[in-house]
Structure formats: C-alpha cells, structure tokens
Amino acid sequence: LGPIYYRNSQGAILVYDVSSDDSFEKIKMWIKELKKVVGSEIVCTIVGNKIDLTKDKKVQYDPTPHEAYAKSVGANFLLTSAKLNENIDELFLEISKKMIKAHDEQTASALNRSNSMRRRLRVDDEVNTVDETNVQESNSRCCGR
C-alpha cells in the first residue's frame, strides 16, 4: 500500500536511528522505491535521528558515510534529536525551501518549453487548392451507402 500514500509527492523525509545500522539500510530501499514511483524530481532529506544518544556517549556514530550516501542520491542530509528538539525546525524549513525551489524550476522549465513551441509555429496564409480532376462525385449518402 506504500505507493498509495506517497504517489504525487513532491518531497520526502526519511528518518533513521543513528544507533541502528539496520535502520539506515532501510533508507536505501525507501530511496529506490520513492524514485521508482514518484520520479527522480522528488526532494528528499535523509535524517539521522537520536543524536542525543551520541552526546551522552551511549552510541559511537560517524555520519560521514551516511552523508556521502545522501549526496550520491541527490538528497539533503541532517542530524536531529526529536527528544531535545534539535534541528527539527531547520529540517522542515530546509525541505520546504527546496520543494518550493524545485517547483519554481519545473514551472519555469515547462513555460520555456511552451514558449519555444509557440515560436516554432508558422501560419501560412496560402489557400489550399483542390485538383478537381481527382475529385470523385458520389451520389450516395453518408459512409458510402
């Protein structure tokens, strides 16, 4: 049922737990699924959550490979702590800005395509003439009956 929920989406926030390598592996599956269903134009942000655990030294965490993966798939990357309310506002502000920018670029691109098609349109004022020697008369009604 997943595609029903994100079909026609413009953006996605994919959240993983920084204390769980398995949760990050699932992000990779979701990215593939989103791009297959929605298309590569979707604005994605990959979020490593629970950074409060790394501050308490309960978890050793290196975001470098996760950040590199996000960059390789064209997604933004951010670390957050929902518990401490760290970077939550920034997350929604950034993805909103990126979605608006993507929408504006798509609209401008569509307008440019439309304008370039109009410029190629040529109207001829010539009147088409019919060669009367090739016209066959028909005494029959509609559809050759």
Side-chain angles (χ1 to χ4, degrees):
L1 292 175
I4 292 170
Y5 294 106
Y6 50 83
R7 179 179 44 207
N8 298 324
S9 295
Q10 302 298 311
I13 299 172
L14 301 114
V15 183
Y16 71 96
D17 179 346
V18 297
S19 65
S20 168
D21 291 332
D22 185 50
S23 70
F24 183 76
E25 291 303 313
K26 290 178 182 173
I27 294 291
K28 294 176 182 179
M29 181 270 307
W30 280 109
I31 288 283
K32 288 178 188 172
E33 178 73 14
L34 279 168
K35 293 198 179 219
K36 182 175 80 175
V37 172
V38 180
S40 59
E41 307 86 37
I42 189 166
V43 176
C44 292
T45 298
I46 297 175
V47 179
N49 191 39
K50 298 188 181 181
I51 59 169
D52 50 284
L53 298 178
T54 64
K55 290 180 180 179
D56 296 337
K57 304 293 183 208
K58 294 178 185 174
V59 174
Q60 293 293 322
Y61 174 69
D62 178 16
T64 308
H66 300 161
E67 193 169 6
Y69 172 76
K71 186 175 183 179
S72 75
V73 295
N76 301 316
F77 180 79
L78 193 64
L79 295 172
T80 63
S81 170
K83 181 179 180 180
L84 301 176
N85 196 27
E86 284 188 38
N87 285 337
I88 303 301
D89 290 341
E90 292 81 357
L91 165 64
F92 287 99
L93 185 61
E94 276 302 307
I95 196 165
S96 298
K97 285 179 182 178
K98 300 265 184 190
M99 288 171 60
I100 290 168
K101 182 179 177 187
H103 176 268
D104 290 348
E105 288 171 355
Q106 289 172 353
T107 303
S109 177
L111 185 60
N112 286 339
R113 281 193 308 273
S114 175
N115 286 340
S116 68
M117 289 176 71
R118 283 189 203 135
R119 281 185 237 133
R120 283 188 245 143
L121 180 65
R122 190 182 118 201
V123 177
D124 273 335
D125 287 334
E126 294 178 22
V127 177
N128 290 332
T129 57
V130 178
D131 182 2
E132 293 179 6
T133 58
N134 291 330
V135 175
Q136 296 177 359
E137 286 189 33
S138 174
N139 292 330
S140 60
R141 293 183 169 181
C142 171
C143 306
R145 292 182 191 171

